[in-house]
Amino acid sequence: MKVTELRIGTHKIKAQAVGFDKDGTLFDALSYWRYMDQIRKELFLNIVGSGHEKAWESIMGFIHPDAINYNGVLAVATTEEEIVLVAGVMFQLYGWPWFQCKKLARDLFIEADKKLDYSQAFAPAPGVPDLLMQLKSADMEVGILTSDSSLRTEACMELLGMHGALDFIVTPEKVENGKPSPDMVLLACKQLGIDPGSMVVVGDSIVDMRMAKDAGSIAVGLVTHEGSEDILREEADYLIRSLTEIEIVFS
């Protein structure tokens, strides 16, 4: 498999593959979180009553329009983890049987997905999908490593015009442990037949960086909000402020 030279900011590295986080990296996270959280919260309040907005906001770590805990549930957790936490809130509020709470929570998330308008929810970050196409044109293996569901991830790739064009898409449904476990990276590398050290992982959160480092891969942190640089620096090999700082080096 071809080894390609990349420029990451001011640094040059050699790699065979690049795996991108999705929300917050390839797509603007805040607009998606705001849109999706509103849908889910309204469905939640239909179940538990309109007086429990703060219970939802407390568990999700997001108060509209933009007060987000970037290390909180909405920003980092998998859908399955969110479902369990919402079921726990329902149980705490009313003491309903646990199986009923879990079913209500799961049905809530399924209904929210049905209401989702992808064209409104997902806004590509600057440089996407041009970067993905540039990497592909250089014969690099390119894919997604995300905590989001397969359904939403595939729909997002259609929005980018990249459906079927990527070499791997790894979501929580495909591994035993989600981020920050290295399982996603290791699975992608196994599928590609490459050493994890030849994989560049690009993400905007500390869990992305820890996933990459624990897998033995190259961790590239994307600084997206105030304070994230200090957090990402703890684990990242390289820091960038825009995806446009990733380029192919042509000899």
Side-chain angles (χ1 to χ4, degrees):
M1 189 177 294
K2 183 178 179 181
V3 176
T4 301
E5 190 170 24
L6 293 175
R7 181 177 288 108
I8 307 291
T10 59
H11 304 274
K12 290 183 180 181
I13 64 170
K14 292 184 178 180
Q16 293 178 294
V18 183
F20 292 92
D21 170 55
K22 182 171 73 69
D23 299 326
T25 303
L26 295 181
F27 291 88
D28 175 65
L30 187 58
S31 61
Y32 166 64
W33 290 331
R34 184 186 297 118
Y35 183 90
M36 177 55 86
D37 187 72
Q38 188 61 43
I39 294 174
R40 291 173 175 172
K41 182 163 67 172
E42 288 176 1
L43 292 170
F44 173 77
L45 295 176
N46 287 341
I47 297 171
V48 303
S50 60
H52 296 294
E53 292 90 344
K54 290 191 181 300
W56 177 269
E57 293 168 355
S58 176
I59 195 69
M60 287 296 160
F62 184 43
I63 301 175
H64 287 246
D66 58 7
I68 178 72
N69 180 346
Y70 283 91
N71 294 308
V73 172
L74 185 61
V76 176
T78 66
T79 301
E80 190 62 33
E81 289 170 337
E82 289 175 316
I83 288 171
V84 171
L85 287 168
V86 170
V89 173
M90 292 178 180
F91 181 79
Q92 183 181 47
L93 288 174
Y94 291 108
W96 296 329
W98 178 240
F99 77 88
Q100 181 184 354
C101 292
K102 285 189 69 175
K103 183 179 186 308
L104 286 169
R106 190 172 302 281
D107 289 348
L108 182 161
F109 278 74
I110 292 172
E111 183 63 24
D113 281 349
K114 291 178 181 178
K115 292 177 175 289
L116 181 63
D117 182 336
Y118 288 90
S119 64
Q120 290 188 45
F122 293 98
V128 179
D130 292 346
L131 173 60
L132 302 182
M133 295 303 297
Q134 182 189 40
L135 295 172
K136 288 291 296 176
S137 68
D139 295 328
M140 292 205 74
E141 305 292 326
V142 181
I144 308 296
L145 306 164
T146 179
S147 294
D148 204 0
S149 68
S150 293
L151 178 67
R152 283 195 295 272
T153 302
E154 294 285 357
C156 286
M157 294 308 102
E158 288 187 15
L159 280 178
L160 292 178
M162 297 295 295
H163 182 67
L166 298 181
D167 300 292
F168 59 92
I169 295 178
V170 184
T171 62
E173 299 100 320
K174 299 180 181 180
V175 293
E176 182 175 351
N177 301 297
K179 300 176 184 182
S181 160
D183 288 12
M184 287 187 181
V185 175
L186 296 178
L187 176 59
C189 291
K190 181 179 180 180
Q191 292 174 347
L192 299 173
I194 66 172
D195 186 271
S198 294
M199 168 82 77
V200 175
V201 176
V202 183
D204 68 311
S205 73
I206 191 67
V207 295
D208 296 313
M209 301 301 97
R210 288 178 179 167
M211 173 181 68
K213 299 299 287 184
D214 286 351
S217 298
I218 302 164
V220 177
L222 177 63
V223 178
T224 57
H225 61 274
E226 185 177 354
S228 69
E229 181 174 353
D230 292 336
I231 295 172
L232 294 173
R233 188 183 287 114
E234 297 177 11
E235 302 281 348
D237 294 305
Y238 307 100
L239 290 176
I240 58 175
R241 286 164 178 76
S242 169
L243 293 178
T244 58
E245 294 183 58
I246 301 175
E247 299 176 302
I248 300 292
V249 177
F250 294 99
S251 55

